[in-house]
Amino acid sequence: MDRDRRGGRGERITAAQLLGKVRNLKVRNAEDKYDVAGWDQAWEELRAMPMTEECRAVYEEVVSAFPTKADVWCKYAELELGAGNMAGLKAIFQRCLMQVPSLELWALYIKFIRRSNKSKGPEGAVEVRNALNFTLEVTGQDVNSGPFWQDCISHLQAAKPGSPEFAALFPQAMAGQEDQARIAAVRKVYQAAVCVPHSHLDGLWRDYQRFENEGPNKQFAKKVLDEWSPKYQAAKAVYRERRKRTQHLSLALWPLPPGKGGLLQDTQAALWRDYLTYERSNPQGLDVPTLQQRVSLAFDQALICFLHFPEFWLDYADWHASCGRADAAAATLSKAQVALPQCLQLRLLAADLHERTGNPQQAVAIFEGLAQNLEQQQAVTRGTLAPAEAGPLLPMTPEQGELVWSQYMLLLRRVENEYHSRKLFLRARKWQQGLAAGDYSCWRLYADAAMLEWRRGRDAGAARNIFEKGLEDQRLFREPQFVLAYLDMLTGLGDLDNARALLARVLADEVNARSVMLWQRYLAFEGMAGDLAAVLEVERQAVAALRGEEVEQLRAALPLVRRDYNLLRAPQELRRILSLPAGPSDASAPAATGRGSVAGGPGANIRPPSEYTSTGPSGAPSEPQLRDVAPQVYLFNKSLPPPEMVEGIVPDVDQVLDVLMALDLAPAAVMQACLDLESGKTLAQGEPAGQEPYGRSEPGGPPYGYGYGSPGRDGYPPPPYGDGPGPGPMDEYAKRRYANDDDDDGYDDGYGGGRDLYHQRLRRRMDG
């Protein structure tokens, strides 16, 4: 580790050198070349540095590249707090607090508010209370939110009656009834806290019982406790399952695009999806506002690490929309478009949402913005518009442009009329004609417009005209799928003469005459609309026009085409019906591509799939005997390069699989291994110097931020403590935790999971 933190001449890397390194990593990010190991090393070097102006610049570069990296924000805030830079710390919280609902970050926010208002008397007491209420409103449904509930209650109980702070906290208290006002406020917080399945639930319920029983009216206390006991029991019943689902979740992954974060990213994504599904199922039977608060927090926390996963944003918006919250769904999609500007589906879904909620003009505005973007992008490419005049543009491919124009035409036909739709087609056609010669032809733009006229407008003449206009473009004329779309419309109209003429005209072209697809459709057409002589004549023409392998492909397809002129059955299905062997396109073995043709080349000692296939008595291959492997091994195998790309010694596949299958791949073990690697521990190095191993009960473990819940008791390592000093003397709640948790049953006994370093760290960060 120390070697990694040194420069090329054996010197410890400076902040200026680290700044250059981070900027280079950001450039690689922009090129879609994410160097996770490089970022890990840079983060290790950065958090060991004291706060200076150069170090602050490095933090700014990191958070600009990863705006939801929770542990980076936590360390940045801690350093600013330690340096006494309250203005800078306030700016940090304004930037990250709402988009990074990490409890450790919010604990630092509470400490910041306490320090900022320590000498402000009554006004400061009110500010701390408001900050605690705000924190509970955002994070109060978290499974580890117990310390926040405790602090809110303690803050209300700490004010002495008759003091200015008490008057400020309870302005509604009447003279002689000060205690009643405080009791009502504390009772309200207790009752909210015991309905949340969190780690301090049992302890808070015992405190609430004591609080009510110490009141003047025992009969009223019994009535209130009997009323709230079922709600507490419901939360307690949910807590165990909720804890089990959250204990392996992490908020410390680098927020990378899909497929860039390795196995840990895939594992965590699956765990978060499972947790989100669980929370949306409402296992506690919550009312709508509370359920919305809890599920929203779960989605917001998932997006900390999966900011660049469109599916999480789409599920979030869809959940809002399914619950009738169109405004919340629109706001979610707006945030998603900022995080994923390249994701076209997010913009199209936003337009669909506006149209569905009775605001079609807003949907039109979204499509118009995309259409103008396409036109300006093309103008900049052709040099007719200066980039400075165009402003920032969203890079879009011809395929994306084709989809945008088609969807836009369909929208205008729905919300306006055919005039606006046809006018837009002329505009889209001008854009299509301006594409470079080597670009995709966008044939579906014409086909979609023609089908819109035929199926929606019942105007077959307009549809024919659009197809004919398309055939004037040489690229579309030589696009078999465009020709077949036109053919389908003509046969659907029953215009068989023009359909036959279309095929004859297209196949007269030398390039089209080499298309097996067009000849197959011609044969199928004559098989349904013509006679045997016509079919035989087409077969003769096809064999004369095609060459080499193309002729063989046609001859292999002829038995199938003759049995199914309507092409309603898949080739595999038809071969099975006709008792024919599987064709080349149906076989699972790869086609001959020259792989492994050089003896002794890379991958030459890897057996082909046929050697893993057993044979029956007749020598025919039977079903492959596949080995059952864990999902992690399957993902690992998928990520490997093909054999011919491997240089050097290639291991035996069976031996590698034997080793992998012998590993403990339970989620806890996988997470442990990932944490060890990220903290710098390897099989060769062991534990980094000066760092305690995982699993010990004392502090001083690996850097904080890895791990989320409060497991620590069931084989999963407890979350690491942090970079700073030990937790210090235990507070009252910590003493209760140690005093009450003398067993090892994996349950928290009410005060945060026994010897749970995560909650001790959370408490340390909250106490100012």
Side-chain angles (χ1 to χ4, degrees):
M1 182 67 67
D2 291 339
R3 182 177 63 255
D4 293 339
R5 292 181 181 177
R6 299 180 185 275
R9 295 176 295 178
E11 300 175 355
R12 185 173 295 275
I13 190 171
T14 65
Q17 292 171 329
L18 184 57
L19 179 61
K21 179 178 180 179
V22 168
R23 286 174 175 170
N24 290 335
L25 289 170
K26 286 182 65 178
V27 171
R28 291 179 62 83
N29 283 7
E31 298 172 351
D32 199 31
K33 299 176 182 177
Y34 292 85
D35 185 356
V36 180
W39 281 110
D40 285 338
Q41 183 182 353
W43 172 225
E44 290 290 331
E45 294 163 345
L46 176 59
R47 64 182 178 184
M49 294 181 178
M51 178 56 74
T52 60
E53 286 299 324
E54 293 83 1
C55 187
R56 187 175 287 113
V58 180
Y59 272 103
E60 288 296 326
E61 292 288 346
V62 176
V63 297
S64 66
F66 302 102
T68 59
K69 190 71 168 71
D71 48 348
V72 174
W73 282 113
C74 284
K75 188 64 179 179
Y76 192 7
E78 272 191 338
L79 290 176
E80 293 289 18
L81 183 64
N85 184 9
M86 294 302 176
L89 185 57
K90 182 178 180 181
I92 288 176
F93 287 134
Q94 288 174 343
R95 293 162 58 192
C96 71
L97 204 58
M98 293 307 297
Q99 65 174 341
V100 186
S102 164
L103 264 63
E104 295 190 29
L105 188 61
W106 282 83
L108 288 170
Y109 167 69
I110 295 297
K111 179 183 284 190
F112 162 71
I113 294 297
R114 282 198 174 114
R115 287 197 183 180
S116 301
N117 294 276
K118 190 173 184 179
S119 60
K120 293 185 179 180
E123 180 184 351
V126 173
E127 287 295 327
V128 173
R129 182 200 62 189
N130 293 341
L132 286 167
N133 289 340
F134 179 45
T135 301
L136 290 174
E137 181 181 346
V138 176
T139 66
Q141 295 296 323
D142 192 278
V143 73
N144 293 306
S145 61
F148 295 142
W149 291 103
Q150 291 173 343
D151 268 30
C152 186
I153 293 169
S154 299
H155 184 70
L156 295 176
Q157 291 178 330
K160 297 180 179 179
S163 65
E165 289 80 5
F166 189 95
L169 288 173
F170 309 103
Q172 73 279 13
M174 300 177 62
Q177 298 182 357
E178 290 86 354
D179 273 348
Q180 296 301 319
R182 175 160 60 183
I183 288 173
V186 173
R187 177 181 291 119
K188 183 178 180 181
V189 179
Y190 266 125
Q191 291 174 350
V194 298
C195 292
V196 179
H198 56 71
S199 52
H200 292 52
L201 180 60
D202 282 354
L204 281 170
W205 175 250
R206 289 194 293 267
D207 291 346
Y208 179 46
Q209 288 178 311
R210 188 182 307 110
F211 169 78
E212 292 290 2
N213 289 326
E214 290 175 354
N217 191 333
K218 304 298 183 183
Q219 186 176 2
F220 176 78
K222 183 178 184 304
K223 178 182 177 181
V224 172
L225 290 173
D226 289 344
E227 178 184 353
W228 285 88
S229 180
K231 300 178 181 179
Y232 154 70
Q233 294 294 340
K236 183 176 180 179
V238 172
Y239 169 71
R240 288 181 182 271
E241 180 65 21
R242 197 176 187 219
R243 177 174 176 265
K244 182 175 71 174
R245 292 177 180 272
T246 59
Q247 64 183 1
H248 299 311
L249 299 180
S250 173
L251 296 180
L253 274 68
W254 293 100
L256 303 173
K260 303 296 182 180
L263 179 60
L264 181 59
Q265 184 189 58
D266 296 333
T267 303
Q268 281 291 308
L271 291 173
W272 274 105
R273 292 187 194 100
D274 179 69
Y275 175 58
L276 291 171
T277 301
Y278 170 76
E279 291 292 11
R280 281 180 289 181
S281 68
N282 195 9
Q284 196 174 341
L286 302 172
D287 58 86
V288 173
T290 307
L291 177 64
Q292 179 181 354
Q293 187 180 10
R294 184 172 298 178
V295 176
S296 295
L297 175 63
F299 269 110
D300 289 337
Q301 289 178 331
L303 289 169
I304 290 177
C305 298
F306 302 101
L307 182 70
H308 301 292
F309 277 57
E311 61 187 275
F312 282 91
W313 288 106
L314 294 172
D315 286 346
Y316 197 3
D318 184 67
W319 173 72
H320 277 306
S322 65
C323 297
R325 293 185 294 272
D327 292 341
T332 299
L333 290 174
S334 297
K335 294 178 182 178
Q337 291 173 35
V338 174
L340 295 167
Q342 305 288 347
C343 184
L344 182 60
Q345 172 67 355
L346 293 171
R347 300 174 185 271
L348 300 183
L349 189 62
D352 292 343
L353 180 65
H354 286 302
E355 184 183 6
R356 186 168 57 184
T357 55
N359 190 11
Q361 294 308 315
Q362 188 64 33
V364 172
I366 292 176
F367 274 105
E368 180 59 29
L370 291 172
Q372 291 181 6
N373 184 95
L374 287 167
E375 293 171 330
Q376 292 177 355
Q377 178 182 335
Q378 186 179 84
V380 170
T381 302
R382 300 176 67 179
T384 58
L385 179 66
E389 297 180 13
L393 296 174
L394 174 66
M396 299 177 69
T397 64
E399 291 87 346
Q400 290 177 316
E402 176 189 62
L403 181 61
V404 167
W405 290 113
S406 296
Q407 291 287 303
Y408 194 4
M409 285 188 291
L410 184 59
L411 174 67
L412 289 182
R413 183 62 71 103
R414 287 197 303 265
V415 303
E416 299 287 349
N417 51 47
E418 66 275 6
Y419 170 76
H420 292 86
S421 178
R422 290 170 179 174
K423 186 176 179 180
L424 180 67
F425 170 69
L426 296 178
R427 183 178 162 194
R429 183 171 181 266
K430 181 179 179 181
W431 169 83
Q432 182 266 343
Q433 293 293 311
L435 294 174
D439 287 343
Y440 168 63
S441 63
C442 296
W443 65 269
R444 292 182 181 87
L445 177 63
Y446 289 80
D448 286 340
M451 294 301 177
L452 189 62
E453 294 289 348
W454 176 36
R455 293 174 177 170
R456 190 176 183 91
R458 309 293 182 184
D459 191 341
R464 290 173 192 266
N465 292 337
I466 292 174
F467 273 118
E468 290 295 333
K469 276 292 181 183
L471 290 176
E472 295 176 2
D473 188 332
Q474 191 74 0
R475 293 176 298 177
L476 273 65
F477 184 78
R478 291 178 172 174
E479 176 57 60
Q481 296 185 63
F482 177 71
V483 175
L484 296 181
Y486 191 8
L487 177 67
D488 288 338
M489 191 199 76
L490 293 174
T491 54
L493 291 171
D495 192 352
L496 303 182
D497 292 338
N498 280 321
R500 184 177 286 109
L502 170 67
L503 288 168
R505 175 171 36 140
V506 170
L507 287 168
D509 180 77
E510 182 179 356
V511 175
N512 287 335
R514 301 291 299 274
S515 172
V516 178
M517 180 190 302
L518 289 176
W519 284 112
Q520 288 181 5
R521 286 300 301 272
Y522 198 179
L523 286 168
F525 172 78
E526 291 295 356
M528 287 299 299
D531 52 19
L532 180 60
V535 173
L536 295 176
E537 176 61 22
V538 172
E539 288 184 12
R540 186 193 64 77
Q541 294 177 10
V543 171
L546 297 175
R547 297 288 184 273
E549 292 184 0
E550 299 163 354
V551 178
E552 297 303 322
Q553 292 177 21
L554 180 64
R555 286 175 174 167
L558 281 178
L560 304 182
V561 175
R562 289 168 180 164
R563 303 284 81 82
D564 185 20
Y565 285 126
N566 287 318
L567 305 178
L568 299 179
R569 299 169 182 84
Q572 299 91 331
E573 180 185 5
L574 196 55
R575 287 180 181 276
R576 179 179 56 81
I577 293 172
L578 298 174
S579 301
L580 295 175
S585 61
D586 306 333
S588 58
T593 58
R595 293 186 177 184
S597 57
V598 180
N605 61 331
I606 296 180
R607 287 179 286 165
S610 59
E611 295 193 22
Y612 288 94
T613 304
S614 59
T615 57
S618 62
S622 62
E623 291 296 324
Q625 302 300 312
L626 300 179
R627 303 178 63 174
D628 293 331
V629 296
Q632 295 90 340
V633 177
Y634 173 73
L635 291 172
F636 172 74
N637 288 341
K638 284 186 61 179
S639 65
L640 294 176
E644 68 272 13
M645 300 299 295
V646 179
E647 296 182 0
I649 300 175
V650 179
D652 182 82
V653 175
D654 282 328
Q655 291 184 10
V656 174
L657 285 178
D658 288 340
V659 173
L660 292 175
M661 295 179 70
L663 295 176
D664 180 7
L665 295 176
V670 173
M671 181 66 71
Q672 173 70 68
C674 293
L675 294 176
D676 288 346
L677 289 173
E678 291 186 359
S679 65
K681 292 197 294 185
T682 64
L683 294 176
Q685 295 174 336
E687 298 165 9
Q691 181 169 296
E692 298 291 342
Y694 281 89
R696 296 184 182 176
S697 59
E698 64 269 24
Y704 70 84
Y706 301 105
Y708 170 62
S710 54
R713 306 293 299 278
D714 51 3
Y716 179 70
Y721 182 74
D723 299 323
M730 292 184 291
D731 58 16
E732 187 62 30
Y733 285 101
K735 293 177 182 177
R736 295 181 189 177
R737 287 199 296 271
Y738 282 103
N740 293 330
D741 190 48
D742 53 359
D743 56 358
D744 196 29
D745 58 357
Y747 193 57
D748 55 27
D749 292 329
Y751 290 104
R755 301 166 181 81
D756 189 345
L757 298 178
Y758 176 82
H759 290 91
Q760 292 183 37
R761 182 172 74 245
L762 206 61
R763 172 68 60 187
R764 176 174 63 90
R765 287 194 169 141
M766 292 171 61
D767 296 337

